[in-house]
Amino acid sequence: MTVRAASAPPSKERHAMGPKAKKVILIVVLAFFVYAIFTSPTKAADIVSSIWGVIVDGFNAILAFFNSLLNR
């Protein structure tokens, strides 16, 4: 019979991104959004309007759910 040592759980540090990597990714994403807005402002406005509509519809659906749950 052999006894095996319990293996240590994987370190979170190994999978974590460094602060510099996060900053670089954030800058790249923001640069893309600025580029998209300047190259096609009408389309960007339509996208923002659509996203806002989805958020408002979702919020109204949540309110309707809780109103029906509370029998109001």
Side-chain angles (χ1 to χ4, degrees):
M1 172 188 262
T2 59
V3 178
R4 291 188 234 173
S7 61
S11 172
K12 289 184 180 182
E13 293 175 11
R14 185 174 60 179
H15 299 290
M17 262 194 298
K20 284 189 177 185
K22 287 181 183 180
K23 190 172 185 177
V24 168
I25 291 172
L26 179 65
I27 290 171
V28 169
V29 169
L30 287 175
F32 172 76
F33 281 123
V34 169
Y35 169 78
I37 289 170
F38 280 119
T39 57
S40 182
T42 305
K43 191 171 182 178
D46 290 340
I47 291 170
V48 170
S49 176
S50 297
I51 291 171
W52 181 251
V54 168
I55 291 170
V56 169
D57 289 344
F59 185 72
N60 286 335
I62 291 170
L63 286 177
F65 169 75
F66 281 110
N67 281 335
S68 67
L69 190 64
L70 297 173
N71 294 324
R72 290 187 178 183

